[in-house]
């Protein structure tokens, strides 16, 4: 290595592939100048070997629009899912420390700090945030980091542990309560409930049903007809569901009365609900 001082500033000079390299180190410290020269040699050697240096990882706030655009593409047929991720991203970005962190700096310690800060913050009702709320934010962050790794912006993603103590709100409608529930439910919720009870169809699948997917004619292994579910959350969501006599009777009555492509239309002639 060869460095020399000119006008109080060190310069370095060396040959690489028969080419003379001479540049200012822009420092008056000889040790720093030698380090700058060494770094320059390394960059040239990497370029010779076809190795490209990775640019600095973006911060979370800078990467958020790209993540949102990807979600809109991947989940374009699920507007509720897109809205979910948008909402959770707003909450993640509201944390100044996390939003300003570079993606490769978001490790287990940073995530643990985020958990602690969120656990101390009150909800809109002035109560402590629920474990479920914080876990949804963590799940969103995990998906974002996984996408960043797939796009080769990260070599490693941290292990994100969800908080314990999340309570699932489940309710099983008993046979004794079923008549009371159906009597109290307004339309079209009552008919949606009948279809769910009789076929086991999911809420989102039921309210997104259209008449071309309702087959009321007798078919093999389907005496009263069947409905076609074209897709859903899992790869096995596409399936045919047999109708019972009660479900078929309800659908026939709706088809005679409803003038819409949707089986359960809302006020705007679209699906009654977004689930």
């Amino acid at each position: 290595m060869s460095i020399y001082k000119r006008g109080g500033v060190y310069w370095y000079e060396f040959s690489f592939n028969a080419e003379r390299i001479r540049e200012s180190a822009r420092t008056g410290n000889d040790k720093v100048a030698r380090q700058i020269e060494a770094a320059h040699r390394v960059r040239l050697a990497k370029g010779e070997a076809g190795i490209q240096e990775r640019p600095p990882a973006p911060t979370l706030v800078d990467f958020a629009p790209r993540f949102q655009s990807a979600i809109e593409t991947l989940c374009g047929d699920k507007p509720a899912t897109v809205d979910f991720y948008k909402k959770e991203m707003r909450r993640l970005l509201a944390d100044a420390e996390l939003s300003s962190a570079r993606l490769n700096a978001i490790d287990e310690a940073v995530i643990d700090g985020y958990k602690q800060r969120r656990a101390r913050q009150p909800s809109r009702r002035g109560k402590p945030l629920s474990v479920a709320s914080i876990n949804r934010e963590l799940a969103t962050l995990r998906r974002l980091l996984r996408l960043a790794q797939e796009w080769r912006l990260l070599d490693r993603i941290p292990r994100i542990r969800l908080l314990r103590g999340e309570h699932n709100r489940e309710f099983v409608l008993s046979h004794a309560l079923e008549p009371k529930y159906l009597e109290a439910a307004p339309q079209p919720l009552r008919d949606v409930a009948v279809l769910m009870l009789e076929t086991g169809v999911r809420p989102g699948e039921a309210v997104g049903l259209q008449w071309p997917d309702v087959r009321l004619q007798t078919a093999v292994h389907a005496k009263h007809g069947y409905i076609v579910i074209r897709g859903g959350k899992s790869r096995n969501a596409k399936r045919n569901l047999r109708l019972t006599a009660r479900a078929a009777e309800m659908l026939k009555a709706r088809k005679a009365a409803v003038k819409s492509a949707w089986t359960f239309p809302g006020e705007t002639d679209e699906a009654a609900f977004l689930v």
Side-chain angles (χ1 to χ4, degrees):
M1 297 182 183
S2 176
I3 65 171
Y4 57 92
K5 203 169 188 179
R6 180 194 296 176
V9 175
Y10 279 98
W11 286 64
Y12 58 86
E13 182 177 351
F14 61 89
S15 295
F16 183 84
N17 285 348
E19 179 183 356
R20 185 183 180 188
I21 307 295
R22 183 175 62 181
E23 289 192 15
S24 171
R26 300 181 181 180
T27 179
N29 187 309
D30 61 334
K31 292 182 179 180
V32 174
R34 293 183 187 277
Q35 292 173 353
I36 292 173
E37 179 192 9
H40 194 159
R41 287 176 179 269
V42 170
R43 288 197 300 272
L44 290 173
K46 287 183 175 180
E48 184 78 4
I51 301 173
Q52 296 182 348
E53 293 187 359
R54 175 180 291 172
T59 61
L60 181 64
V61 67
D62 290 335
F63 185 71
R66 185 177 178 184
F67 171 71
Q68 181 173 312
S69 178
I71 289 297
E72 289 173 349
T73 300
L74 295 170
C75 307
D77 59 338
K78 302 175 183 177
T81 300
V82 174
D83 290 341
F84 166 82
Y85 279 111
K86 287 181 178 180
K87 180 181 68 175
E88 300 306 321
M89 276 306 305
R90 286 195 296 269
R91 292 172 176 172
L92 290 170
L93 296 178
D95 185 272
E97 186 172 337
L98 183 65
S99 65
S100 62
R102 294 196 178 276
L103 298 186
N104 58 351
I106 300 177
D107 56 13
E108 285 80 0
V110 171
I111 294 169
D112 187 61
Y114 177 76
K115 291 179 184 178
Q116 294 180 30
R117 291 191 298 275
R118 288 296 282 156
R120 292 193 297 266
Q121 293 175 354
S123 66
R124 289 178 298 177
R125 299 179 180 179
K127 298 181 179 180
L129 283 174
S130 69
V131 171
S133 295
I134 300 175
N135 281 347
R136 299 295 75 76
E137 298 165 20
L138 295 174
T140 299
L141 179 61
R142 179 167 56 192
R143 181 161 190 181
L144 179 147
L145 294 176
R146 284 176 175 171
L147 276 179
Q149 185 184 42
E150 289 180 14
W151 295 335
R152 298 186 178 181
L153 298 176
L154 296 175
D155 291 325
R156 172 190 177 272
I157 58 175
R159 184 174 182 180
I160 300 180
R161 298 177 182 272
L162 302 183
L163 297 176
R164 296 182 178 181
E166 184 172 346
H167 299 289
N168 295 323
R169 291 177 294 180
E170 296 182 353
F171 173 75
V172 178
L173 185 67
S174 66
H175 290 292
L177 291 177
E178 181 181 318
K180 295 181 180 180
Y181 176 83
L182 294 177
E183 182 179 353
Q187 291 289 17
L189 182 59
R190 181 185 304 128
D191 287 349
V192 172
V194 169
L195 187 65
M196 291 172 58
L197 289 168
E198 294 296 313
T199 66
V201 69
R202 297 186 180 98
E205 296 168 340
V207 299
L209 196 64
Q210 298 188 49
W211 286 117
D213 297 326
V214 177
R215 314 293 170 81
L216 296 174
Q217 300 80 15
T218 299
V220 178
H221 304 303
K223 178 180 177 181
H224 303 286
Y226 61 97
I227 58 175
V228 179
I229 305 301
R230 298 192 178 276
K233 291 186 176 181
S234 69
R235 66 182 62 183
N236 297 320
K238 184 177 180 179
R239 62 204 190 280
N240 295 337
L241 296 175
R242 288 179 293 177
L243 296 172
T244 63
R246 182 165 71 150
E249 182 181 354
M250 177 274 293
L251 288 170
K252 289 176 181 177
R254 289 196 67 79
K255 190 169 186 179
V258 173
K259 307 301 179 183
S260 170
W262 299 93
T263 308
F264 304 102
E267 295 179 356
T268 59
D269 196 29
E270 295 181 354
F273 311 96
L274 290 177
V275 179

